[in-house]
C-alpha cells in the first residue's frame, strides 16, 4: 500500500502547498482521499485521472472538496472521448444538506455517489475501508484503510493476513474513541491544525500537534504524519510539540511525499 501526499494546508492553500488531498494506492488501484485545491494538477504526476478507482470526501468543507468541481470536467471529457465507460464512484457524507445538494447537482452526470456513514464497510480489491464520525462542526469521517497481502475472502470475514493499515483522522477535535479506531495503524495521518499557543481554540473541532501525538501513542501507531497545519505556522514548532507526546517516527506532511508500506 502506498500513500502519496498531494496537499496538506488547513483552510486555504499555502505557498506552493494545496489543501488536503492524498492518494492511496493498493494492488494497482488508486483512491483519492479528499480533493482540496491543487490536487487535480499534482495528481497527474503520479497517475492519469482515468486511473482513479474511487474518491473519498471525508467532509464537505471547501478545503477538502473544491477540486471536485474541476475534476468533474476531466471526467466528463474522458467519458466523451471514450476513455472511461462508467461513472466514477465517489463516497461522501450527505450533509450539510445545502452543500451536498449543490455538489450532487454539479457532479451527478459524471459520478456515482454513495453516502458515508459509520455503517458503511467497503471491501475494495483486497482492502477494507471503514469510517468513524469525528468531532467537527460538520458531519466528518475519519477513514481506516486496511490492505491485506493475502486475502482469500471476498468480505470482512475470512482468511486475511499481512495487513497494512493507514488511518486518516480528517478534521477533528481529540476524542478517546478515535484512538481505538486508529489502533495498530502503521501510518496515522493526523490533522494538527493548532499549536499549544492556540489551546483556547480547541473547541473548534481541531487538534493541536501535541494531541495528535497523544492520539498516536494511545493508538499504538508506528508512524505519525502531521497534516492540516495552518499555512503561516512554523511547522517545526508543530513537530516539537508532537514529540512531547509521541516517541516514535513523526513526519510533517508535504506535497509529493510517498510512503510505502
Ligand atoms: Zn480542513
Ligand atoms: Zn473541516
Amino acid at each position: 500500500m502506498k500513500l502519496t501526499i498531494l496537499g496538506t494546508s488547513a483552510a486555504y492553500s499555502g505557498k506552493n502547498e494545496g489543501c488536503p488531498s492524498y492518494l492511496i494506492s493498493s494492488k494497482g488501484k488508486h483512491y483519492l482521499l479528499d480533493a482540496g485545491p491543487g490536487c487535480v494538477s499534482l495528481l497527474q504526476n503520479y497517475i492519469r485521472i482515468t486511473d482513479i478507482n474511487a474518491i473519498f470526501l471525508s467532509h464537505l468543507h471547501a478545503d477538502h472538496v473544491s477540486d471536485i468541481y474541476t475534476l468533474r470536467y476531466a471526467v466528463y471529457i474522458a467519458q466523451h472521448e471514450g476513455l472511461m465507460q462508467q461513472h466514477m464512484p465517489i463516497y461522501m457524507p450527505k450533509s450539510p444538506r445545502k452543500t451536498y445538494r449543490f455538489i450532487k447537482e454539479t457532479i451527478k452526470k459524471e459520478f456515482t455517489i454513495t453516502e458515508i456513514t459509520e455503517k458503511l464497510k467497503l471491501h475494495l480489491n483486497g482492502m477494507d475501508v471503514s469510517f468513524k464520525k469525528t468531532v467537527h462542526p460538520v458531519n466528518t469521517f475519519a477513514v481506516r484503510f486496511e490492505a491485506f497481502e493475502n486475502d482469500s475472502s471476498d468480505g470482512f470475514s475470512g482468511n486475511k493476513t499481512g495487513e497494512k493499515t493507514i488511518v486518516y483522522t480528517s478534521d477533528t477535535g481529540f476524542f478517546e474513541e478515535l484512538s481505538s479506531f486508529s489502533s495498530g495503524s502503521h501510518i496515522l495521518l493526523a490533522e494538527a491544525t493548532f499549536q499549544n499557543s492556540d489551546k483556547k481554540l480547541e473547541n473548534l473541532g481541531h487538534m493541536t500537534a501535541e494531541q495528535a501525538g497523544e492520539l498516536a501513542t494511545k493508538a499504538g501507531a508506528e508512524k505519525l504524519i502531521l497534516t492540516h497545519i495552518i499555512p503561516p505556522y512554523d511547522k517545526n514548532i508543530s513537530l516539537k510539540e508532537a514529540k512531547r507526546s509521541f516517541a516514535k517516527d513523526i513526519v510533517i506532511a508535504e506535497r509529493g511525499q510517498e510512503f510505502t508500506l
Side-chain angles (χ1 to χ4, degrees):
M1 186 157 49
K2 189 158 94 172
L3 165 68
T4 305
I5 310 285
L6 301 176
T8 71
S9 293
Y12 64 96
S13 296
K15 190 177 176 186
N16 296 319
E17 186 71 59
C19 289
S21 184
Y22 314 92
L23 187 63
I24 301 276
S25 303
S26 175
K27 296 181 180 171
K29 304 285 182 188
H30 303 283
Y31 306 95
L32 184 66
L33 175 59
D34 281 344
C39 76
V40 170
S41 171
L42 286 171
L43 176 76
Q44 294 167 82
N45 289 308
Y46 307 98
I47 59 169
R48 290 167 298 192
I49 283 164
T50 50
D51 292 332
I52 302 170
N53 292 94
I55 299 173
F56 297 98
L57 300 181
S58 64
H59 66 301
L60 304 186
H61 275 157
D63 54 332
H64 297 253
V65 307
S66 68
D67 258 22
I68 280 298
Y69 298 110
T70 52
L71 184 59
R72 173 226 167 177
Y73 295 124
V75 174
Y76 174 85
I77 290 164
Q79 286 170 342
H80 281 259
E81 285 181 347
L83 301 171
M84 281 180 72
Q85 308 306 325
Q86 292 173 336
H87 286 194
M88 189 174 278
I90 185 165
Y91 299 84
M92 60 201 263
K94 286 195 173 176
S95 70
R97 293 302 293 177
K98 216 171 147 186
T99 315
Y100 170 73
R101 270 191 231 115
F102 183 73
I103 294 175
K104 183 186 160 194
E105 284 310 306
T106 308
I107 70 170
K108 68 181 180 190
K109 286 190 186 137
E110 296 84 26
F111 292 83
T112 302
I113 301 173
T114 302
E115 182 181 12
I116 294 180
T117 66
E118 285 196 345
K119 286 184 186 148
L120 181 66
K121 310 271 182 210
L122 300 170
H123 189 71
L124 305 170
N125 195 44
M127 184 171 75
D128 290 348
V129 188
S130 52
F131 305 89
K132 177 81 192 165
K133 197 173 181 321
T134 75
V135 175
H136 198 53
V138 301
N139 208 14
T140 301
F141 291 88
V143 191
R144 182 179 178 103
F145 298 91
E146 289 171 277
F148 300 90
E149 261 169 42
N150 301 300
D151 182 358
S152 58
S153 71
D154 55 3
F156 266 67
S157 59
N159 233 346
K160 296 189 269 195
T161 55
E163 83 269 18
K164 297 289 181 192
T165 303
I166 295 174
V167 174
Y168 170 52
T169 66
S170 186
D171 288 10
T172 184
F174 181 85
F175 65 108
E176 285 297 334
E177 281 175 63
L178 190 55
S179 56
S180 46
F181 181 75
S182 311
S183 69
S185 44
H186 296 91
I187 290 176
L188 178 60
L189 178 60
E191 80 120 283
T193 307
F194 294 137
Q195 297 176 342
N196 285 346
S197 55
D198 301 315
K199 273 255 176 203
K200 59 187 181 303
L201 301 174
E202 256 176 23
N203 60 1
L204 291 180
H206 290 291
M207 290 191 285
T208 61
E210 189 165 349
Q211 285 176 316
E214 193 184 329
L215 176 68
T217 297
K218 287 187 170 168
E222 280 187 6
K223 182 194 281 284
L224 170 63
I225 302 178
L226 299 175
T227 190
H228 203 272
I229 297 172
I230 294 172
Y233 280 21
D234 180 349
K235 292 178 179 175
N236 289 320
I237 293 174
S238 303
L239 182 61
K240 211 165 119 190
E241 292 182 351
K243 280 182 176 170
R244 290 182 194 161
S245 50
F246 185 61
K248 293 189 197 165
D249 191 18
I250 309 178
V251 176
I252 298 283
E254 281 175 26
R255 78 177 160 90
Q257 289 167 331
E258 294 176 273
F259 301 91
T260 304
L261 288 173

